[in-house]
Amino acid sequence: MTSSEVQPSTHSSTPVPGSMPAVMTAAFVVTAVFVLSNSPTPLYVHWQQSIGFSSGMLTVIFGAYILGLLLTLLVAGQLSDHFGRPRVLLPGLVVALAASALFLVADNVAMLIVARLLTGISVGVIVSAGMASVVDAGGDTLRATAARLASVAMVLGAGLGPLFAGIMAQYLDEPVTWVFGAEALLIVIATIAVVRSRPLTNLAGIDDRGPFQPRLPSVPRRFRRYVLFGIAVFGPGITATSFVLSLGPSLLARQLGVTSPLVAGGTASAMFLVATGVQFAVARAQIRTIFIGGATSTAMSMLALYGAVQSDAAALLIFSALLAGAGQGLGQLGGLTLIGMHVPPTSRAQGNALMNIGGYIPAGILPLVAGYLIDATSIPTAVTVFGVVLFLAAVAGGVAVAKSIEAD
């Protein structure tokens, strides 16, 4: 072999598949988009004052995100597994950039709804194709590490977004410009990273395989239990965190008398940072232990939530949010690890999509029901009903998964 033959691989700036630079590059793309996902949370009060809309309309705006996410999850994994990660990631990043631009100039409710819908679409792409690309970038040697970093990248971005937005809303008169201007810059950098790393983001070895025929996401039957294990624990966990994101600021203001956007954003941020940190803390734990820890954390979160509204204690509500973050993080880590290690590359993105569909359906429905219960009854009554339902779901899911994995 001549020196000219080895020149490209020696001096190429593209990260080498199966290396940490490759994994970190793919993980950055996930984080960049997830910063956008929760950035609007502390800014809703700002928009309500500047545009003027009701709490009911706020629920519609928040629901548009879940709708866009769920619809995208139905097809993004299949598109990614069929055509390769870059061809799906790049359009998803363009949609994220469009959402950021709409948030920057939004002066009516319709623009906010469309911006949240586009945000959900872009996050749906990242949840399926983006997180699968992180695992792909790890190759065989770093597969478990890459699966953990994919999960960490998601919750890290989800936590940094509301913290930055809360700080901007607390201290600046025009926080929207700073928040979504910075987010647009992140998306541009992420797009450049995907373009430069195209070879490593298509490690599944997938190319055009004839006409694309959309169908419901699926994985081979023998691998479905791994997806179901993740849903059983991740679902209650992400439902708990969605409750905090959608109704947490309202509980703080109406029930507990805390109106600071920094507290609301900081609580959401701390929730996701706990979800990140706990995944590092259990890096060497068995998957069964991770799942049990996730279910237990979610159940305890509901107990703390009940205590918060009964005693009007803001500290208990914050503690509940932190436990919810731990529940989501552990359930997500366990599910993604199982999918990354057992589901083949040609179905991995669909496996990720299915786990997230199973989690986001209750995450969209139960907080919405709780919101209407608050309007119809009272905050303590609605929170009690929500807490009991989710407590039972977390316990049932944790017990079922623990027994199933133990049986293996």
Side-chain angles (χ1 to χ4, degrees):
M1 182 178 295
T2 67
S3 59
S4 61
E5 291 175 311
V6 299
Q7 180 94 9
S9 61
T10 302
H11 295 282
S12 174
S13 60
T14 300
V16 178
S19 68
M20 282 305 298
V23 174
M24 295 302 293
T25 297
F28 169 76
V29 176
V30 174
T31 297
V33 174
F34 266 94
V35 167
L36 176 65
S37 65
N38 295 325
S39 292
T41 298
L43 299 172
Y44 286 131
V45 173
H46 170 84
W47 280 314
Q48 280 185 304
Q49 293 173 349
S50 61
I51 297 175
F53 52 86
S54 67
S55 296
M57 185 55 65
L58 173 59
T59 303
V60 174
I61 295 169
F62 182 82
Y65 168 78
I66 299 291
L67 177 63
L69 175 61
L70 288 174
L71 291 176
T72 305
L73 287 174
L74 291 174
V75 297
Q78 299 174 60
L79 289 169
S80 173
D81 287 337
H82 187 87
F83 294 113
R85 316 300 185 214
R87 297 183 186 180
V88 179
L89 283 173
L90 290 173
L93 289 167
V94 171
V95 171
L97 190 60
S100 298
L102 272 177
F103 279 127
L104 271 171
V105 300
D107 58 4
N108 58 65
V109 170
M111 294 180 73
L112 289 177
I113 291 175
V114 174
R116 282 304 273 165
L117 182 68
L118 293 178
T119 301
I121 292 171
S122 64
V123 170
V125 169
I126 293 300
V127 163
S128 51
M131 298 182 78
S133 74
V134 179
V135 178
D136 292 345
D140 293 333
T141 57
L142 294 175
R143 182 173 297 176
T145 298
R148 182 167 64 253
L149 286 177
S151 182
V152 168
M154 170 182 169
V155 293
L156 181 62
L160 290 176
L163 177 61
F164 179 63
I167 293 172
M168 296 297 101
Q170 183 75 32
Y171 298 110
L172 298 179
D173 292 332
E174 298 295 334
V176 172
T177 301
W178 288 93
V179 171
F180 296 104
E183 173 58 20
L185 178 60
L186 278 179
I187 296 300
V188 170
I189 295 172
T191 302
I192 294 172
V194 171
V195 171
R196 289 175 60 85
S197 61
R198 286 180 65 103
L200 70 90
T201 53
N202 198 24
L203 293 182
I206 305 164
D207 203 347
D208 294 355
R209 296 177 295 182
F212 175 67
Q213 298 179 346
R215 62 188 186 280
L216 291 176
S218 66
V219 297
R221 183 180 300 273
R222 65 184 181 278
F223 302 117
R224 291 175 187 172
R225 57 178 178 158
Y226 301 116
V227 177
L228 292 175
F229 290 161
I231 292 173
V233 180
F234 173 63
I238 199 168
T239 301
T241 58
S242 292
F243 180 89
V244 174
L245 290 171
S246 58
L247 294 174
S250 178
L251 289 183
L252 283 169
R254 293 174 56 186
Q255 185 73 16
L256 307 177
V258 179
T259 59
S260 168
L262 181 56
V263 172
T267 298
S269 176
M271 178 174 68
F272 285 106
L273 292 179
V274 166
T276 304
V278 75
Q279 295 183 55
F280 284 106
V282 300
R284 298 181 181 273
Q286 296 181 345
I287 293 179
R288 180 174 181 271
T289 302
I290 292 172
F291 276 130
I292 292 174
T296 301
S297 296
T298 302
M300 291 177 62
S301 171
M302 294 302 98
L303 294 177
L305 179 63
Y306 174 80
V309 297
Q310 294 300 321
S311 63
D312 292 340
L316 273 178
L317 180 60
I318 294 172
F319 183 54
S320 172
L322 300 181
L323 287 170
Q328 176 188 329
L330 292 171
Q332 178 179 285
L333 174 62
L336 286 177
T337 300
L338 284 178
I339 292 171
M341 297 191 70
H342 296 286
V343 176
T346 52
S347 298
R348 191 174 293 146
Q350 292 185 70
N352 289 346
L354 282 170
M355 190 185 83
N356 280 278
I357 289 171
Y360 275 105
I361 287 176
I365 294 175
L366 292 182
L368 181 62
V369 171
Y372 279 108
L373 276 178
I374 289 174
D375 293 336
T377 58
S378 65
I379 289 177
T381 299
V383 168
T384 298
V385 172
F386 175 85
V388 168
V389 171
L390 204 59
F391 176 88
L392 293 176
V395 171
V399 170
V401 171
K403 287 184 175 180
S404 298
I405 293 181
E406 184 178 43
D408 287 345

